[in-house]
Amino acid sequence: MLSSMTVWRAFFATLVAKQAARRNQTALLVVASPHSLEMANKGNKKRRQFSLEEKMKVVEAVDSGKRKGDVAKEFGITPSTLSTFLKDRTKFEKKVREASVGPQRKRMRSALYDDIDKAVFAWFQEIHAKNILVTGSVIRKKALNLANMLGYDNFQASVGWLNRFRDRHGIALKAVCREDTDRLMNGLGIDKVNEWHAGEIIKLIADYSPDDIFNADETGVFFQLLPQHTLAAKGDHCRGGKKAKQRLTALFCCNASGTEKMRPLIVGRSASPRCLKNIHSLPCDYRANQWAWMTRDLFNEWLMQVDARMKRAERRILLLIDNCSAHNMLPRLERIQVGYLPSNCTAVLQPLNLGIIHTMKVLYRSHLLKQILLKLSSREDQEKVDIKQAIDMIAAAWWSVKPSTVVKCWQKAGIIPMEFAECDIESAASEPDTAIEKLWHTVAIATCVPNEVNFQDFVTADDDLIISQDTDIIQGMVAGENTSEAGSEDEGEVSLPQQPKVTITEAISSVQKLRQFLSTCVDVPDAIFGQLNGIDEYLMKRVTQTLVDSKITDFLQTK
């Protein structure tokens, strides 16, 4: 007899075999079913996606009066899909109307940082309207700038982001953006320069003398930069944060003959710095905003002031400017004709960029070095420069730029003819003299400046500073935030001891002491004594008028 265990094993083996046979039979029935084959084919059919443009055509067909069934057959869609299009029509109509996504887009997914996306696209539309060619890297840099202004620290303008941005807005980067900027400048740039020299500039300057042709441009200045910190500042764009408190933006303007340099406009971050308390006269105009940048409002205010001066003087001038964001919405001007320099060509066409501003910075930095050397020789603690001192030194450097330097830079730009002897314009406009090099060498050793840093590095450390930005775009993105407001009164100010008020009697005494000191020196230029006489005459006129007014007042009181 078989054991009970053997019987049970045989029973389970038979049961398993029967179940397997049933599964195989069912599988054969399923495969053989025509309905199952149809369902399988329908499941494998690729789902069609429609772009916003195609959806708009479907909706327009229904709006034209066609029956929904006929429209569905015409476009090859089911009635339920047509109903979905009609239900969602307001959404994709809004997307197309606002140009927030391109009409070829098949999905309406918004960007992760939607406000950055809108700000960048608004900037791109503005640039594209001016036929300005930009590269993909420029778009990414602009996105980082705008993200910083909107308060996003973690945003990364990667290549993937750029591709998604392009797809969202239907931008053909091959037609609009050129990755090879060198080829752009060497190809189109040179052609544009030659074309401008041969045609447009001749028409612009035909009715003006060199005295009445002006160029205006802005530059950024790290006004507290010390020689030993040059490497840390080199190439810094300073888009905000703590370093915004250490920078200024200065606007300069001069004519082609070198006979007239306009009063500088300097933009800081603090509207009411402590160092300007009780100060009523400055050698420049001073304004402030949140980033210490040039804005459209500030530039237009300056333009209107210049226009009013020209009207009083019964002059008409030509003003050449670049097309940065602060310059592209100008007010109505009566006495100023504005001419825009070709885009992407200002490095070779703008006179102020060809050595004039550089010379100003050479003079400013050399003045800083002299102050540092004086502090070192007297063993005094080195104090940071405040805004008042920086303003005085920047203005002094500007007024010290020689007319010959100005003329040579205008000649280099090809705007006025070469009427002077051949000379090395580059060295005349930008190379420091031997005295400044010796001054730099002395200070560099005393302050432990790295050997690889030279004076030119110190001068050009802030050349890459952003000088204007799309604050109007950001104002539209940031609700309730007034981006034109300046920083608080004390924010970023250097804590220097308050200087006592100097009386006019003390000022006259100081001039007399200065005259006495100069009389002990050898070979003092006559111009120095002439300038001293002018200061003395101004002070004496002020004190005399004060005494006359006080005597009249006393006389009236006695009556």
Side-chain angles (χ1 to χ4, degrees):
M1 292 182 61
L2 296 174
S3 65
S4 58
M5 183 62 69
T6 303
V7 173
W8 277 109
R9 286 178 179 173
F11 172 76
F12 278 117
T14 304
L15 184 62
V16 170
K18 288 181 179 180
Q19 288 177 345
R22 288 194 192 101
R23 283 197 298 270
N24 292 335
Q25 186 178 8
T26 303
L28 290 172
L29 289 173
V30 170
V31 172
S33 172
H35 179 69
S36 299
L37 287 172
E38 181 180 351
M39 293 298 293
N41 291 334
K42 181 177 287 188
N44 293 331
K45 185 178 180 179
K46 186 177 180 180
R47 185 178 179 181
R48 181 183 175 187
Q49 287 187 323
F50 294 85
S51 67
L52 293 180
E53 187 177 21
E54 291 171 332
K55 292 176 183 178
M56 289 287 290
K57 289 181 179 178
V58 172
V59 173
E60 288 171 358
V62 175
D63 291 342
S64 67
K66 294 183 180 180
R67 294 179 54 192
K68 294 181 180 179
D70 295 338
V71 172
K73 290 181 180 178
E74 179 183 348
F75 288 93
I77 58 177
T78 62
S80 61
T81 301
L82 176 59
S83 299
T84 302
F85 287 177
L86 295 174
K87 183 180 69 174
D88 295 338
R89 64 181 297 172
T90 55
K91 294 181 181 179
F92 54 78
E93 282 178 349
K94 181 181 179 182
K95 292 283 186 182
V96 173
R97 183 173 61 253
E98 294 178 352
S100 60
V101 295
Q104 303 300 324
R105 286 270 291 174
K106 296 183 178 181
R107 305 180 69 180
M108 291 189 294
R109 179 183 296 174
S110 299
L112 180 60
Y113 298 94
D114 193 46
D115 45 358
I116 298 177
D117 191 270
K118 290 178 180 177
V120 175
F121 188 60
W123 165 81
F124 181 84
Q125 287 179 310
E126 179 180 314
I127 294 296
H128 183 60
K130 298 177 183 178
N131 294 321
I132 298 175
L133 296 176
V134 294
T135 67
S137 60
V138 169
I139 295 176
R140 292 167 61 192
K141 288 180 181 178
K142 176 60 67 174
L144 287 173
N145 293 349
L146 295 174
N148 188 279
M149 295 171 68
L150 289 167
Y152 292 102
D153 297 328
N154 298 325
F155 173 77
Q156 293 182 349
S158 62
V159 174
W161 173 88
L162 177 65
N163 292 334
R164 291 189 294 272
F165 173 79
R166 176 202 64 190
D167 293 339
R168 275 192 295 272
H169 300 287
I171 297 173
L173 288 180
K174 290 182 179 179
V176 179
C177 305
R178 302 190 178 190
E179 296 294 337
D180 191 353
T181 55
D182 292 335
R183 190 182 67 180
L184 175 62
M185 189 60 221
N186 294 332
L188 283 177
I190 295 300
D191 292 340
K192 289 168 70 175
V193 169
N194 293 335
E195 181 182 347
W196 193 72
H197 278 150
E200 187 173 350
I201 186 59
I202 295 177
K203 296 178 182 178
L204 283 173
I205 67 175
D207 298 328
Y208 297 94
S209 71
D211 291 343
D212 296 325
I213 303 174
F214 288 80
N215 175 221
D217 192 30
E218 300 89 352
T219 187
V221 180
F222 277 135
F223 67 95
Q224 294 179 341
L225 180 65
L226 297 175
Q228 59 267 34
H229 299 153
T230 299
L231 283 179
K234 189 74 173 177
D236 194 335
H237 297 286
C238 189
R239 300 183 180 92
K242 294 181 179 179
K243 286 191 176 180
K245 305 171 188 177
Q246 305 167 8
R247 64 158 292 164
L248 298 170
T249 296
L251 180 146
F252 300 107
C253 184
C254 62
N255 66 357
S257 64
T259 58
E260 185 174 354
K261 295 197 294 284
M262 291 190 184
R263 183 183 178 90
L265 169 62
I266 295 181
V267 184
R269 192 172 187 273
S270 178
S272 303
R274 285 192 295 264
C275 59
L276 295 184
K277 187 176 181 180
N278 299 324
I279 300 296
H280 305 292
S281 296
L282 289 170
C284 67
D285 295 324
Y286 178 77
R287 299 292 184 270
N289 60 50
Q290 189 173 352
W291 296 288
W293 287 340
M294 181 59 66
T295 64
R296 291 173 185 170
D297 290 342
L298 290 180
F299 185 73
N300 288 347
E301 178 191 357
W302 176 82
L303 264 183
M304 293 297 290
Q305 291 174 354
V306 175
D307 192 61
R309 288 203 305 271
M310 295 304 147
K311 187 175 182 180
R312 290 193 297 268
E314 298 183 350
R315 292 176 63 187
R316 292 187 180 276
I317 66 171
L318 171 66
L319 179 65
L320 301 176
I321 57 176
D322 58 31
N323 50 17
C324 78
S325 59
H327 299 169
N328 55 19
M329 292 184 66
L330 305 183
R332 182 177 176 274
L333 303 169
E334 296 182 27
R335 299 287 177 151
I336 301 176
Q337 179 184 354
V338 174
Y340 283 102
L341 298 166
S343 59
N344 301 323
C345 301
T346 55
V348 294
L349 288 179
Q350 183 144 250
L352 282 163
N353 281 351
L354 293 174
I356 300 174
I357 287 178
H358 181 83
T359 302
M360 183 282 302
K361 288 191 174 183
V362 167
L363 297 170
Y364 176 77
R365 300 291 186 207
S366 63
H367 200 116
L368 275 178
L369 293 178
K370 292 172 185 175
Q371 282 197 343
I372 294 172
L373 190 60
L374 286 174
K375 294 288 185 181
L376 291 172
S377 63
S378 60
R379 301 187 183 278
E380 296 181 24
D381 292 336
Q382 187 65 46
E383 296 175 346
K384 290 184 179 180
V385 175
D386 63 23
I387 292 178
K388 172 65 169 58
Q389 295 169 327
I391 286 174
D392 290 339
M393 288 190 291
I394 290 173
W398 172 242
W399 299 123
S400 299
V401 176
K402 297 178 181 179
S404 59
T405 300
V406 174
V407 171
K408 289 168 186 173
C409 293
W410 278 87
Q411 291 173 338
K412 187 177 180 182
I415 298 175
I416 62 173
M418 300 291 291
E419 297 178 351
F420 300 91
E422 293 276 341
C423 63
D424 188 350
I425 295 175
E426 190 70 28
S427 61
S430 61
E431 289 297 324
D433 57 24
T434 306
I436 295 179
E437 285 289 3
K438 289 182 179 179
L439 177 63
W440 165 260
H441 184 69
T442 303
V443 174
I445 293 175
T447 56
C448 301
V449 176
N451 293 331
E452 61 268 24
V453 178
N454 57 37
F455 181 67
Q456 283 302 311
D457 294 328
F458 185 45
V459 171
T460 61
D462 44 23
D463 281 359
D464 294 327
L465 284 183
I466 294 175
I467 49 91
S468 67
Q469 196 53 274
D470 308 281
T471 53
D472 293 333
I473 293 175
I474 296 303
Q475 283 176 341
M477 299 294 107
V478 185
E481 181 179 345
N482 187 356
T483 57
S484 64
E485 290 183 354
S488 62
E489 179 178 348
D490 298 332
E491 190 175 10
E493 273 292 288
V494 182
S495 299
L496 296 177
Q498 188 171 1
Q499 299 295 327
K501 186 176 181 179
V502 179
T503 65
I504 193 165
T505 304
E506 292 172 335
I508 293 173
S509 176
S510 298
V511 173
Q512 292 172 349
K513 289 180 179 179
L514 185 56
R515 193 189 301 277
Q516 184 179 359
F517 169 76
L518 291 174
S519 64
T520 64
C521 298
V522 180
D523 296 331
V524 178
D526 292 340
I528 300 297
F529 286 108
Q531 293 168 357
L532 199 60
N533 290 336
I535 297 173
D536 190 32
E537 183 179 346
Y538 171 78
L539 293 176
M540 292 303 294
K541 183 178 179 180
R542 286 288 303 271
V543 71
T544 302
Q545 187 64 46
T546 303
L547 291 173
V548 170
D549 292 342
S550 64
K551 291 297 181 182
I552 293 175
T553 304
D554 294 341
F555 177 77
L556 291 175
Q557 287 177 347
T558 58
K559 293 291 183 180

mmCIF file of all heavy atoms in Angstrom, residues 6 104 126 130 164 168 210 242 281 316 380 418 441 454-455 471 475 504 509 521 544:
data_model
loop_
_atom_site.group_PDB
_atom_site.id
_atom_site.type_symbol
_atom_site.label_atom_id
_atom_site.label_comp_id
_atom_site.label_asym_id
_atom_site.label_seq_id
_atom_site.Cartn_x
_atom_site.Cartn_y
_atom_site.Cartn_z
ATOM 1 N N THR A 6 2.300 9.848 0.048
ATOM 2 C CA THR A 6 2.431 9.681 -1.405
ATOM 3 C C THR A 6 1.121 9.974 -2.097
ATOM 4 O O THR A 6 1.080 10.608 -3.161
ATOM 5 C CB THR A 6 2.887 8.248 -1.723
ATOM 6 O OG1 THR A 6 4.116 7.989 -1.034
ATOM 7 C CG2 THR A 6 3.086 8.066 -3.226
ATOM 8 N N GLN A 104 3.239 77.678 -30.658
ATOM 9 C CA GLN A 104 3.532 76.307 -31.048
ATOM 10 C C GLN A 104 3.578 75.359 -29.863
ATOM 11 O O GLN A 104 3.704 74.155 -30.045
ATOM 12 C CB GLN A 104 4.876 76.253 -31.794
ATOM 13 C CG GLN A 104 4.922 77.148 -33.028
ATOM 14 C CD GLN A 104 3.871 76.774 -34.053
ATOM 15 O OE1 GLN A 104 3.568 75.594 -34.220
ATOM 16 N NE2 GLN A 104 3.313 77.758 -34.731
ATOM 17 N N GLU A 126 11.908 93.812 -25.444
ATOM 18 C CA GLU A 126 12.433 95.174 -25.589
ATOM 19 C C GLU A 126 13.699 95.175 -26.438
ATOM 20 O O GLU A 126 13.883 96.020 -27.329
ATOM 21 C CB GLU A 126 12.710 95.745 -24.199
ATOM 22 C CG GLU A 126 13.273 97.154 -24.187
ATOM 23 C CD GLU A 126 13.523 97.633 -22.773
ATOM 24 O OE1 GLU A 126 12.641 97.452 -21.917
ATOM 25 O OE2 GLU A 126 14.605 98.183 -22.527
ATOM 26 N N LYS A 130 14.468 96.367 -30.823
ATOM 27 C CA LYS A 130 15.527 97.267 -31.300
ATOM 28 C C LYS A 130 16.491 96.579 -32.261
ATOM 29 O O LYS A 130 17.505 97.158 -32.646
ATOM 30 C CB LYS A 130 16.331 97.800 -30.104
ATOM 31 C CG LYS A 130 15.509 98.624 -29.134
ATOM 32 C CD LYS A 130 16.369 99.043 -27.955
ATOM 33 C CE LYS A 130 15.560 99.811 -26.939
ATOM 34 N NZ LYS A 130 16.374 100.171 -25.769
ATOM 35 N N ARG A 164 14.287 75.610 -22.099
ATOM 36 C CA ARG A 164 12.861 75.619 -21.741
ATOM 37 C C ARG A 164 12.264 77.008 -21.949
ATOM 38 O O ARG A 164 11.110 77.143 -22.389
ATOM 39 C CB ARG A 164 12.682 75.143 -20.307
ATOM 40 C CG ARG A 164 12.981 73.663 -20.104
ATOM 41 C CD ARG A 164 12.573 73.187 -18.715
ATOM 42 N NE ARG A 164 13.374 73.820 -17.672
ATOM 43 C CZ ARG A 164 14.538 73.355 -17.232
ATOM 44 N NH1 ARG A 164 15.056 72.251 -17.775
ATOM 45 N NH2 ARG A 164 15.196 73.973 -16.269
ATOM 46 N N ARG A 168 9.170 77.761 -24.346
ATOM 47 C CA ARG A 168 7.941 78.370 -23.814
ATOM 48 C C ARG A 168 7.485 79.557 -24.658
ATOM 49 O O ARG A 168 6.289 79.783 -24.841
ATOM 50 C CB ARG A 168 8.149 78.833 -22.370
ATOM 51 C CG ARG A 168 7.935 77.762 -21.328
ATOM 52 C CD ARG A 168 7.877 78.351 -19.939
ATOM 53 N NE ARG A 168 9.136 78.955 -19.528
ATOM 54 C CZ ARG A 168 10.127 78.304 -18.939
ATOM 55 N NH1 ARG A 168 10.005 77.012 -18.711
ATOM 56 N NH2 ARG A 168 11.228 78.921 -18.577
ATOM 57 N N PRO A 210 32.140 120.914 -33.506
ATOM 58 C CA PRO A 210 32.639 120.043 -32.419
ATOM 59 C C PRO A 210 32.288 120.561 -31.020
ATOM 60 O O PRO A 210 32.163 119.759 -30.091
ATOM 61 C CB PRO A 210 34.150 120.038 -32.656
ATOM 62 C CG PRO A 210 34.298 120.267 -34.123
ATOM 63 C CD PRO A 210 33.202 121.221 -34.490
ATOM 64 N N LYS A 242 25.745 93.703 0.164
ATOM 65 C CA LYS A 242 26.592 94.614 0.930
ATOM 66 C C LYS A 242 27.453 95.495 0.039
ATOM 67 O O LYS A 242 27.702 96.646 0.353
ATOM 68 C CB LYS A 242 27.485 93.802 1.880
ATOM 69 C CG LYS A 242 26.702 93.077 2.971
ATOM 70 C CD LYS A 242 27.635 92.315 3.896
ATOM 71 C CE LYS A 242 26.854 91.615 4.995
ATOM 72 N NZ LYS A 242 27.747 90.857 5.900
ATOM 73 N N SER A 281 26.440 122.755 -1.066
ATOM 74 C CA SER A 281 27.082 122.891 -2.372
ATOM 75 C C SER A 281 28.043 121.735 -2.599
ATOM 76 O O SER A 281 28.860 121.437 -1.725
ATOM 77 C CB SER A 281 27.848 124.220 -2.475
ATOM 78 O OG SER A 281 26.966 125.317 -2.386
ATOM 79 N N ARG A 316 21.860 124.719 -29.542
ATOM 80 C CA ARG A 316 21.329 123.413 -29.918
ATOM 81 C C ARG A 316 22.506 122.440 -29.992
ATOM 82 O O ARG A 316 23.520 122.758 -30.617
ATOM 83 C CB ARG A 316 20.601 123.462 -31.261
ATOM 84 C CG ARG A 316 19.315 124.265 -31.211
ATOM 85 C CD ARG A 316 18.545 124.153 -32.519
ATOM 86 N NE ARG A 316 17.311 124.916 -32.473
ATOM 87 C CZ ARG A 316 16.171 124.470 -31.954
ATOM 88 N NH1 ARG A 316 16.119 123.222 -31.470
ATOM 89 N NH2 ARG A 316 15.096 125.223 -31.937
ATOM 90 N N GLU A 380 48.905 107.339 11.087
ATOM 91 C CA GLU A 380 47.493 107.405 11.460
ATOM 92 C C GLU A 380 46.771 106.162 10.955
ATOM 93 O O GLU A 380 47.173 105.534 9.984
ATOM 94 C CB GLU A 380 46.840 108.657 10.867
ATOM 95 C CG GLU A 380 47.390 109.967 11.381
ATOM 96 C CD GLU A 380 46.676 111.157 10.771
ATOM 97 O OE1 GLU A 380 45.515 110.990 10.339
ATOM 98 O OE2 GLU A 380 47.267 112.244 10.709
ATOM 99 N N MET A 418 41.152 113.849 -37.791
ATOM 100 C CA MET A 418 42.467 113.924 -37.163
ATOM 101 C C MET A 418 43.140 115.232 -37.576
ATOM 102 O O MET A 418 43.716 115.337 -38.654
ATOM 103 C CB MET A 418 43.328 112.736 -37.589
ATOM 104 C CG MET A 418 42.740 111.385 -37.207
ATOM 105 S SD MET A 418 42.734 111.084 -35.431
ATOM 106 C CE MET A 418 44.471 110.918 -35.118
ATOM 107 N N HIS A 441 54.014 101.789 -6.395
ATOM 108 C CA HIS A 441 55.017 100.848 -5.893
ATOM 109 C C HIS A 441 55.239 101.039 -4.394
ATOM 110 O O HIS A 441 55.308 100.064 -3.627
ATOM 111 C CB HIS A 441 56.324 101.038 -6.660
ATOM 112 C CG HIS A 441 57.389 100.060 -6.281
ATOM 113 N ND1 HIS A 441 57.322 98.720 -6.570
ATOM 114 C CD2 HIS A 441 58.567 100.241 -5.602
ATOM 115 C CE1 HIS A 441 58.384 98.099 -6.106
ATOM 116 N NE2 HIS A 441 59.169 98.996 -5.521
ATOM 117 N N ASN A 454 48.947 95.035 -10.352
ATOM 118 C CA ASN A 454 49.612 96.281 -10.726
ATOM 119 C C ASN A 454 48.630 97.444 -10.678
ATOM 120 O O ASN A 454 47.443 97.263 -10.365
ATOM 121 C CB ASN A 454 50.259 96.173 -12.110
ATOM 122 C CG ASN A 454 49.263 95.792 -13.189
ATOM 123 O OD1 ASN A 454 48.105 96.214 -13.174
ATOM 124 N ND2 ASN A 454 49.696 94.979 -14.142
ATOM 125 N N PHE A 455 49.107 98.630 -10.999
ATOM 126 C CA PHE A 455 48.268 99.827 -10.895
ATOM 127 C C PHE A 455 47.081 99.770 -11.860
ATOM 128 O O PHE A 455 45.978 100.205 -11.515
ATOM 129 C CB PHE A 455 49.109 101.080 -11.164
ATOM 130 C CG PHE A 455 48.326 102.358 -11.056
ATOM 131 C CD1 PHE A 455 47.814 102.783 -9.842
ATOM 132 C CD2 PHE A 455 48.083 103.136 -12.183
ATOM 133 C CE1 PHE A 455 47.086 103.955 -9.738
ATOM 134 C CE2 PHE A 455 47.357 104.311 -12.098
ATOM 135 C CZ PHE A 455 46.863 104.726 -10.863
ATOM 136 N N THR A 471 14.842 98.351 -13.889
ATOM 137 C CA THR A 471 14.042 98.540 -12.682
ATOM 138 C C THR A 471 12.565 98.660 -13.004
ATOM 139 O O THR A 471 11.719 98.300 -12.204
ATOM 140 C CB THR A 471 14.500 99.794 -11.924
ATOM 141 O OG1 THR A 471 14.511 100.906 -12.827
ATOM 142 C CG2 THR A 471 15.894 99.610 -11.371
ATOM 143 N N GLN A 475 9.695 96.544 -11.223
ATOM 144 C CA GLN A 475 8.580 97.170 -10.523
ATOM 145 C C GLN A 475 7.271 96.494 -10.896
ATOM 146 O O GLN A 475 6.359 96.402 -10.088
ATOM 147 C CB GLN A 475 8.520 98.657 -10.881
ATOM 148 C CG GLN A 475 9.568 99.474 -10.144
ATOM 149 C CD GLN A 475 9.565 100.930 -10.571
ATOM 150 O OE1 GLN A 475 9.054 101.276 -11.626
ATOM 151 N NE2 GLN A 475 10.148 101.775 -9.763
ATOM 152 N N ILE A 504 33.579 131.245 8.197
ATOM 153 C CA ILE A 504 34.188 131.930 7.067
ATOM 154 C C ILE A 504 35.488 132.621 7.477
ATOM 155 O O ILE A 504 36.420 132.730 6.690
ATOM 156 C CB ILE A 504 33.184 132.948 6.458
ATOM 157 C CG1 ILE A 504 33.704 133.414 5.093
ATOM 158 C CG2 ILE A 504 32.940 134.120 7.400
ATOM 159 C CD1 ILE A 504 32.653 134.120 4.272
ATOM 160 N N SER A 509 41.458 132.553 7.035
ATOM 161 C CA SER A 509 42.743 132.352 7.714
ATOM 162 C C SER A 509 43.510 131.183 7.090
ATOM 163 O O SER A 509 44.732 131.242 6.937
ATOM 164 C CB SER A 509 42.507 132.095 9.199
ATOM 165 O OG SER A 509 43.712 131.810 9.861
ATOM 166 N N CYS A 521 57.876 127.807 -1.024
ATOM 167 C CA CYS A 521 58.188 126.726 -1.973
ATOM 168 C C CYS A 521 58.893 127.295 -3.200
ATOM 169 O O CYS A 521 58.858 128.498 -3.462
ATOM 170 C CB CYS A 521 56.904 126.013 -2.390
ATOM 171 S SG CYS A 521 56.026 125.209 -1.012
ATOM 172 N N THR A 544 32.239 140.219 3.244
ATOM 173 C CA THR A 544 31.883 141.634 3.114
ATOM 174 C C THR A 544 30.372 141.805 3.030
ATOM 175 O O THR A 544 29.789 142.669 3.696
ATOM 176 C CB THR A 544 32.553 142.236 1.862
ATOM 177 O OG1 THR A 544 33.958 142.065 1.966
ATOM 178 C CG2 THR A 544 32.224 143.713 1.741
#
